[in-house]
Amino acid sequence: MANKVLRVLITGAAGRMGRAVRAEIEAATAFRLAGCVDFRPGPGVETPDAFEYLLASADAAVDFSTPEAACEFAAVCARHRKPFVTGTTGFSPKQTAALKAAGRKAPVFAAPNMSPAVNLTFALAALAAKRLKNFDIHIHEAHHAAKRDAPSGTALRYAERIALARGGDLPPITSARAGDIIGDHTVLFAGPHERVEIAHRAHSRALFAAGALKAAAWAAGRKPGFYDYFDLLELRDLLK
Ligand code: NAD
């Protein structure tokens, strides 16, 4: 898809992240807005039942809505063989299975955190967990008061990567919901006489919006599959 302008349809377009994705598209030359859908009204925002119609003139859909809505949009994208990128979090195992099923017909890219740097720290945390065998691990995350899910999808992804690398149970996670915090995560490795912390602080939602668009550009033209940032950044080999 190099040098081609990517036409993007945004779902959850009236939300915090949807608006950030739109601002990012409007400021870029590599992307063009193919439409916006949301239940909440907004300028240029259509109701969700316009999704399938708008998808006809889109190259990819970028979603930041709810798990239920994301699964429905993914199924429509699968029918039309169009890439679907979702940053939505809080998927149940059944909903994740539905996304994976859509990925058998179209590229589906799902990442609980669209920051490439955060995805790199997933690998760093896994590496540390593997090597620092006798260190206790604790994950702490903080987000704005309106965030629906807890713990965050990002904290869960750290925990999953750590458990996979070290074996055993998921490490404990604590969550704070307060004010307008965009997203803070700290993975603490506490050993005898020392501790290591892998921490990330998001300063702006533009970070996640740009990351989601990068994912859309990467997913467009790819074979059907269920992808995440470990595929885009080729991080799987790093952990072998
Ligand atoms: P938000 O509540 O501000 O926005 C969600 C929007 O989705 C709302 O406007 C809502 O009306 C809309 N919506 C709900 N059902 C819909 C449907 N059926 N069709 C179309 N629109 C629908 O929430 P937010 O802060 O923008 O976050 C959205 C999701 O993205 C959450 O799951 C959040 O955890 C996640 N998130 C992910 C990342 C990441 O990097 N992956 C970053 C920030 C937030």
Side-chain angles (χ1 to χ4, degrees), residues 33-82:
L33 196 61
C36 289
V37 301
D38 200 308
F39 280 125
R40 274 198 265 173
V45 177
E46 301 191 41
T47 53
D49 54 12
F51 179 78
E52 190 158 9
Y53 161 73
L54 291 168
L55 190 63
S57 50
D59 300 308
V62 170
D63 167 83
F64 286 93
S65 60
T66 64
E68 304 75 36
C71 289
E72 286 176 25
F73 295 133
V76 178
C77 283
R79 269 207 309 281
H80 292 272
R81 309 287 194 264
K82 295 270 174 107

Side-chain angles (χ1 to χ4, degrees), residues 12 15-17 38-40 48 69 73 87 89 111-114 147 208:
R16 283 174 287 263
M17 274 309 305
D38 200 308
F39 280 125
R40 274 198 265 173
F73 295 133
T89 57
N113 197 302
M114 290 289 180
K147 183 168 172 61
F208 307 126

Side-chain angles (χ1 to χ4, degrees), residues 131-146:
R131 297 295 172 96
L132 302 175
K133 284 198 191 321
N134 60 338
F135 281 47
D136 293 331
I137 305 177
H138 185 103
I139 300 167
H140 182 69
E141 54 100 351
H143 282 85
H144 56 89

Side-chain angles (χ1 to χ4, degrees), residues 39-214:
F39 280 125
R40 274 198 265 173
V45 177
E46 301 191 41
T47 53
D49 54 12
F51 179 78
E52 190 158 9
Y53 161 73
L54 291 168
L55 190 63
S57 50
D59 300 308
V62 170
D63 167 83
F64 286 93
S65 60
T66 64
E68 304 75 36
C71 289
E72 286 176 25
F73 295 133
V76 178
C77 283
R79 269 207 309 281
H80 292 272
R81 309 287 194 264
K82 295 270 174 107
F84 180 71
V85 173
T86 181
T88 297
T89 57
F91 291 103
S92 67
K94 200 172 161 193
Q95 289 166 331
T96 302
L99 288 183
K100 285 184 179 167
R104 289 198 279 277
K105 295 192 173 151
V108 172
F109 189 106
N113 197 302
M114 290 289 180
S115 152
V118 163
N119 284 274
L120 178 68
T121 65
F122 290 154
L124 297 177
L127 192 65
K130 206 169 171 176
R131 297 295 172 96
L132 302 175
K133 284 198 191 321
N134 60 338
F135 281 47
D136 293 331
I137 305 177
H138 185 103
I139 300 167
H140 182 69
E141 54 100 351
H143 282 85
H144 56 89
K147 183 168 172 61
R148 289 175 189 212
D149 52 328
S152 67
T154 304
L156 284 169
R157 185 56 56 87
Y158 277 119
E160 288 158 9
R161 290 277 167 217
I162 286 166
L164 210 65
R166 188 183 257 201
D169 294 338
L170 298 182
I173 305 173
T174 50
S175 303
R177 296 286 173 266
D180 61 359
I181 300 168
I182 290 175
D184 290 359
H185 291 87
T186 304
V187 186
L188 167 71
F189 300 83
H193 314 297
E194 62 180 341
R195 66 177 184 265
V196 175
E197 289 179 4
I198 295 175
H200 182 271
R201 312 271 179 261
H203 297 174
S204 161
R205 289 188 175 84
L207 162 71
F208 307 126
L213 290 173
K214 185 184 172 87

